[in-house]
Amino acid sequence: MPNHRSAFAVGTTLPGLGRADIDRAEPQLAGKVVRTPVIRSDQLDALCGARLWLKAENLQRGGSFKVRGALLAVEELAAAGSHGVIAQSTGNHAIAVALAARARGLPTLIALPTDAPPAKVRRIREARAQVVFAGTTLAERLAAVGELQELHGYDVVDPYESPHVVAGQGTATAELLAQAAAEGVRLDTVVVPIGGGSALAGACLAAAGHGAAVVGAEPTAVPAFTAALRAGEPVTVSARHTIADGLRPDRIGALPFSLAAREAARVLTVSEEAIAEALRAALLRARLLVEPAAATALAGALEYAAGPGRGTDIGVLLSGGNVEPSLVAALLAESAPAPRPLAG
């Protein structure tokens, strides 16, 4: 009979998460994740009129900050005797879970959307996880996870509802705040991208008592958190196409919403054009190759900094760098000046 024991089953929430959970998570992750650098760019600062502190999680193991939460969750399950793990994701959480599970010798099943980026699918398979494609919506992936759990009895590592995942993701913001403080700077604001909400919730936990406002940025095409705030609870939105594939969940997680709805200072919706321009700016002005989800946070920070009274020092969580080379080439080509005709 399948084993349904899982501290991280879909729909599970744990109340009472706080900054202490980040403080416990950081030593657990020490030596297992990269303490990624914080990058400054004079050109970006000049563009927005503020000092931006870019947390380069595109340089993290697995190519994104998601490895932080995945490691905490998988190690907890492994210690409890797990026989295997299941995860659903649009890509980066799946890569992170596959890497964490491989390190513990656990078989891994991953439910992905049918149009998941090939580069992310390849990285998941390189980590020896088995991929199952399930529609294009969050509901379809969750249904696939339920079926896989019934069949195999493995434990679920949910990207939104696991308190270990949320705490792990929050360590990225905690590091950013500490790295700025080491330079004698107290950040006024931290801007993070919003997909299922674990980055935003983790940032809220990390910033507690620090004085930094937490601002979320999500694609205008998938305004899941904005819609949830209006409804007072998570709701499913009608998602349109976005190049920010990592921010495609059409419903904010219940646990992240319960935290971020109280603590986040603001949510910004970002157009596809602004996301593309921010990706180009990160590459050409800061020499950082990031994926569109990370560029969404940068675009939000550039917009936010332009407003009055927003402070002088803004942290930005550049969440990952797993981007399709063809997309980068296309976006760079769009910004390139037209060639001049050769003299006859």
Side-chain angles (χ1 to χ4, degrees):
M1 176 177 290
N3 169 24
H4 295 289
R5 172 190 55 77
S6 174
F8 318 105
V10 174
T12 297
T13 62
L14 278 185
L17 279 171
R19 172 66 203 219
D21 295 280
I22 306 292
D23 295 337
R24 282 190 291 270
E26 287 189 290
Q28 289 179 265
L29 293 174
K32 300 173 185 175
V33 299
V34 177
R35 188 175 176 85
T36 53
V38 173
I39 305 299
R40 296 291 316 286
S41 166
D42 290 342
Q43 291 184 54
L44 287 179
D45 290 355
L47 187 65
C48 69
R51 296 193 298 184
L52 299 183
W53 300 76
L54 309 175
K55 180 63 168 167
E57 287 290 290
N58 55 309
L59 304 178
Q60 186 56 261
R61 286 188 57 208
S64 85
F65 80 115
K66 295 280 189 171
V67 74
R68 297 170 177 271
L71 276 170
L72 282 184
V74 169
E75 290 193 356
E76 182 81 10
L77 287 172
S82 179
H83 299 294
V85 295
I86 303 169
Q88 67 80 18
S89 169
T90 57
N92 282 338
H93 176 70
I95 295 170
V97 169
L99 290 172
R102 184 179 67 178
R104 297 305 297 256
L106 295 175
T108 310
L109 302 173
I110 299 294
L112 291 177
T114 53
D115 54 355
K120 292 183 178 179
V121 177
R122 183 169 60 252
R123 295 203 70 172
I124 293 163
R125 287 175 168 157
E126 286 172 352
R128 299 199 292 270
Q130 180 181 339
V131 174
V132 175
F133 292 102
T136 58
T137 67
L138 175 59
E140 289 170 309
R141 295 195 301 279
L142 291 176
V145 166
E147 293 171 3
L148 291 169
Q149 193 178 36
E150 282 285 342
L151 184 62
H152 298 276
Y154 293 168
D155 296 306
V156 176
V157 184
D158 192 89
Y160 323 128
E161 310 300 353
S162 163
H164 295 292
V165 167
V166 171
Q169 317 308 39
T171 63
T173 296
E175 283 185 11
L176 169 58
L177 294 168
Q179 287 166 303
E183 298 294 325
V185 172
R186 188 180 184 90
L187 295 182
D188 302 297
T189 307
V190 175
V191 183
V192 301
I194 307 174
S198 63
L200 182 64
C204 288
L205 295 178
H210 185 277
V214 176
V215 172
E218 63 184 352
T220 302
V222 195
F225 187 58
T226 300
L229 288 175
R230 289 173 179 161
E233 62 182 357
V235 294
T236 301
V237 298
S238 179
R240 304 189 306 276
H241 172 74
T242 176
I243 60 171
D245 60 274
L247 308 181
R248 284 178 48 191
D250 52 16
R251 186 182 182 95
I252 198 80
L255 177 56
F257 179 77
S258 70
L259 293 168
R262 298 193 309 264
E263 304 296 336
R266 188 173 177 186
V267 57
L268 302 169
T269 54
V270 182
S271 71
E272 295 298 293
E273 294 78 10
I275 296 171
E277 184 56 39
L279 188 150
R280 289 190 287 262
L283 181 59
L284 299 177
R285 297 175 186 263
R287 304 300 185 261
L288 290 170
L289 178 61
V290 301
E291 61 186 272
T296 302
L298 178 56
L302 293 171
E303 176 185 337
Y304 183 83
R310 300 296 169 77
T312 58
D313 291 280
I314 299 173
V316 186
L317 180 63
L318 297 180
S319 52
N322 293 319
V323 60
E324 289 291 325
S326 59
L327 176 61
V328 176
L331 292 178
L332 290 177
E334 286 180 11
S335 67
R340 296 180 181 179
L342 297 174

